[in-house]
Amino acid sequence: MNMEIGNVIAPPAPRRLDDMQLPPVMMREILLKTMFRKNADLVSDIARAICLPVPVTQELVDLVRSQKLIEATGTLHANSGGEMGYQLTDAGKSRALDALAQSEYFGAMPVPLDVYREQVERQSIRNVRIRRAELTRAMGHLILPPTLLDQLGPAVTSGRSILMYGPPGNGKSSISNGIRDAMGDRIYVPRAIEYAGQVITVYDPIVHSAAETQEDDPTQLRRSGTRFDSRYVRCERPTVITGGELSLDMLDLVYNPTARTYQAPLQLKSTGGIFIVDDLGRQAEPPQALVNRWIVPLEEGRDILALQSGEKFEVPFDTLVIFSTNFHPNEIFDKAALRRIFFKIKIDGPGQEDFLKIFALVARKKGMPLDQAALVHLLKSKYPSIDNVYANYQPVFLIDQMMAICDFEGIPYQMSPELIDRAWANMFVKEEAIMH
């Protein structure tokens, strides 16, 4: 049965142990390790810890009990609806310790990679259709030229790669965040996936914001009618933002030698969402090398990762990649790389009219009264000295500077030509000889 919450079809909860499609030994060992580590003795507690429905957990407990690794304690817990208690036998404890020596992973049962692929298709970023009204609403806090939305809209709706370029300080990062906000729907992120008996953790609270506090109580989920596979967490579409620190090895699986598990790389964590490469050209790796790494994923919707053993395997690549740079594209890419980036959008600084709108908006928001003489001084004396090149970051910078000066001088917030001069001096560093 497919269940839809919002516009995305939720992953159906497994009904029987056979539905799990995981190696039986792996399931048995995760169960033993979880009971050992969490001291769980009731099926309902175990079910919550391994993120499976109670009937499926009971089936697994019965199977492992038949192997003499678990035994019933013979006591019914009155305060838990008369549930039977279970404990590890000596053989079960020994097996749990052996299993922990092989891998420290316990808790949520992983989702097999092939099963996860099906969920990625159900919630693909390419299924998102953002209309002009939604994009306008999400960008409402920004003053943008109308033609920019004409370019951004089709780019976002296509789910293809975008390169935003232009001078620094003009809101490329804010626009990227606005694109994320326009999406608005929710998807299901697996806590962990399994491939070839290896566990790869995917859900990361730093990247994924859970849409609600999810009580992983399988009995509660059944009663409330919102029953989906609780091995997943329902989240906002994820956004991964990287800047100058991005390196090619951050796009590989991360192996934890202590836990003997893998952590998903950034692009896999951003599946179903947005991957923003900010400040392209500031990384240690040349931009061309970074884009070359994405070519196959961007064109074919699949990425290739490698295990410690060297074995390579395919994972879905379902991410809207946004490259943002202050360099002109021709300076950092060859023609072949540029051809592969589907949309190229120039983000320019505002004209004088939009600059004044932004200045007034920021001043109102920060409680700074506008002053005509100060504004005339700014536009007629200051900006001509830099060829009237305006940038979106400048109103915030100048107003914050004037507020800091007013705080220091112990005067109410105000603007004046003199305060404009003092703020301006901090925005640009004069070229001058330094005495040695």
Side-chain angles (χ1 to χ4, degrees), residues 189-408:
V189 177
R191 298 167 195 275
I193 55 178
E194 174 271 339
Y195 171 76
Q198 301 295 321
V199 175
I200 301 162
T201 59
V202 179
Y203 175 71
D204 178 349
I206 295 168
V207 170
H208 303 108
S209 50
E212 60 270 310
T213 309
Q214 182 180 317
E215 182 54 53
D216 296 320
D217 180 343
T219 52
Q220 183 66 36
L221 285 172
R222 196 156 58 248
R223 280 203 298 274
S224 68
T226 55
R227 190 169 161 219
F228 62 85
D229 188 341
S230 60
R231 290 176 296 167
Y232 292 81
V233 182
R234 189 168 177 242
C235 298
E236 311 289 342
R237 285 192 181 268
T239 302
V240 171
I241 303 177
T242 66
E245 77 286 358
L246 179 64
S247 59
L248 284 171
D249 59 7
M250 289 165 76
L251 307 176
D252 296 331
L253 282 173
V254 180
Y255 182 66
N256 180 330
T258 312
R260 291 196 174 87
T261 55
Y262 292 88
Q263 190 181 25
L266 296 172
Q267 72 276 18
L268 188 53
K269 288 180 182 178
S270 70
T271 299
I274 302 177
F275 191 110
I276 298 169
V277 182
D278 214 353
D279 264 345
L280 189 66
R282 304 269 178 226
Q283 294 76 11
E285 325 265 358
Q288 185 78 40
L290 285 170
V291 171
N292 287 348
R293 168 64 180 80
W294 300 90
I295 283 173
V296 170
L298 287 171
E299 292 191 342
E300 300 183 16
R302 61 190 178 88
D303 197 8
I304 295 168
L305 300 176
L307 298 172
Q308 282 284 100
S309 62
E311 183 186 348
K312 294 188 172 173
F313 63 104
E314 278 184 19
V315 292
F317 186 87
D318 186 71
T319 301
L320 173 64
V321 182
I322 301 177
F323 298 104
S324 166
T325 183
N326 300 332
F327 296 97
H328 192 281
N330 293 342
E331 290 175 32
I332 54 175
F333 295 126
D334 64 20
K335 286 190 170 59
L338 270 179
R339 198 171 59 244
R340 288 183 158 105
I341 299 174
F342 211 69
F343 290 91
K344 292 163 272 289
I345 301 172
K346 186 160 196 269
I347 311 290
D348 264 326
Q352 190 183 89
E353 191 184 332
D354 279 344
F355 172 83
L356 284 171
K357 277 188 202 165
I358 297 166
F359 199 93
L361 203 71
V362 172
R364 188 165 69 242
K365 207 161 148 189
K366 291 182 176 276
M368 168 67 92
L370 289 170
D371 176 80
Q372 193 173 353
L375 284 173
V376 168
H377 179 65
L378 182 64
L379 299 180
K380 296 279 185 270
S381 299
K382 292 297 172 191
Y383 273 98
S385 71
I386 56 162
D387 298 328
N388 293 313
V389 175
Y390 300 95
N392 284 326
Y393 80 92
Q394 291 163 351
V396 176
F397 186 95
L398 291 167
I399 289 166
D400 281 348
Q401 287 280 336
M402 288 188 280
M403 289 169 73
I405 295 165
C406 291
D407 285 338
F408 174 69

Side-chain angles (χ1 to χ4, degrees), residues 133-144 149 174 178 181 361:
E134 290 145 355
L135 197 55
T136 305
R137 203 176 308 120
M139 302 286 183
H141 61 301
L142 302 171
I143 308 277
L144 300 173
L149 287 185
S174 304
D181 296 344
L361 203 71

